[in-house]
Amino acid sequence: MPARTANGARREATPTYQSLVTTGSTARAVPDIGMQVGGCPGGISILNKKSGFCDGNNNPADGDGNTDRSYGIFAIAVGNGGGFYGYIGTSLSSPEFAGALALLIEQSGRMGNVNTYLYGLAARQAKEGAVAKYLHTEIPGFNGLIQSNISPTYNVSTGIGTPIVKTLVGAESAKSAGTPQTLSNP
C-alpha cells in the first residue's frame, strides 16, 4: 500500500534511479527533466515591462524569473501581418525531447526506462564537476508554487536539468545548427 501524506494524498516512493542524485525529497520527485522551460519567450519581458508580467530578470523570487531563457521560435503568417513568436511548454518540448530520445536510441540502442541513463549522466556530471556537459543545471526558476533550489543535480523547475542534446545522445562531433541564441539556433 502506498504511503500517504498528512491530508491522505497518495505519496509515491522514490524510484531507484532518483537515488543517484540529491532531489531534496523522500518521495518521488518531479519533474525528471526540463526542456523549453525558459519562462518568458522571445523578448516578452522587454515588451511587457509596464505590465509587470515577465519582468523578473533572472530572479525567481517575484514569480516571474528566468526571462528570455530558452524557447522555440515559430514563424506565423510572416508577410501577412504576423511575425516570429517564442513559445515554451510541454506542447513544444515533448516532441522535441522525443526526437532527442530517438537520436539516443539510434546511437546506443534500446534502453528501456531512460531515467536511469539520464539520472546517471546527472550524477556523473556533478561528480566530475563538469559544468553543463550533458545537462544545464543550477537554473533559477519558479514553477508556480515553489522557488527553485539551486543545485548541481536537481531543482523543482527543471529536474536534473535541461538537456544538451549533442552530448546527451553521444553525438559531440555533430555540427551546431548555427550561432546559439539567434534565429538559426534559438
Side-chain angles (χ1 to χ4, degrees):
M1 184 168 166
R4 301 275 176 184
T5 64
N7 66 2
R10 185 176 171 179
R11 187 173 185 180
E12 296 292 329
T14 304
T16 305
Y17 57 82
Q18 283 193 332
S19 66
L20 298 171
V21 301
T22 302
T23 65
S25 176
T26 58
R28 170 76 167 102
V30 291
D32 286 310
I33 199 162
M35 197 165 198
Q36 304 297 9
V37 293
C40 300
I44 288 176
S45 61
I46 295 167
L47 300 174
N48 290 302
K49 287 291 185 190
K50 291 180 182 174
S51 71
F53 175 71
C54 285
D55 62 358
N57 203 354
N58 285 326
N59 179 6
D62 61 5
D64 292 326
N66 282 353
T67 55
D68 300 330
R69 285 285 180 125
S70 175
Y71 51 88
I73 297 178
F74 292 88
I76 300 174
V78 175
N80 293 321
F84 294 92
Y85 300 92
Y87 292 92
I88 60 172
T90 307
S91 297
L92 171 65
S93 62
S94 293
E96 185 178 35
F97 192 62
L101 291 180
L103 292 171
L104 177 63
I105 291 167
E106 184 178 285
Q107 292 285 334
S108 306
R110 294 186 58 127
M111 323 182 93
N113 185 344
V114 74
N115 281 325
T116 302
Y117 172 76
L118 295 173
Y119 277 82
L121 284 181
R124 182 181 334 156
Q125 178 173 296
K127 183 178 179 182
E128 293 172 357
V131 177
K133 183 174 181 181
Y134 307 106
L135 301 151
H136 294 287
T137 60
E138 301 189 28
I139 299 171
F142 181 75
N143 69 2
L145 298 172
I146 303 169
Q147 180 176 332
S148 293
N149 53 322
I150 304 303
S151 163
T153 59
Y154 190 89
N155 81 49
V156 296
S157 293
T158 62
I160 56 173
T162 61
I164 302 169
V165 175
K166 285 173 53 168
T167 54
L168 186 83
V169 303
E172 292 87 349
S173 62
K175 289 187 175 184
S176 293
T179 305
Q181 302 301 312
T182 66
L183 288 177
S184 68
N185 185 5

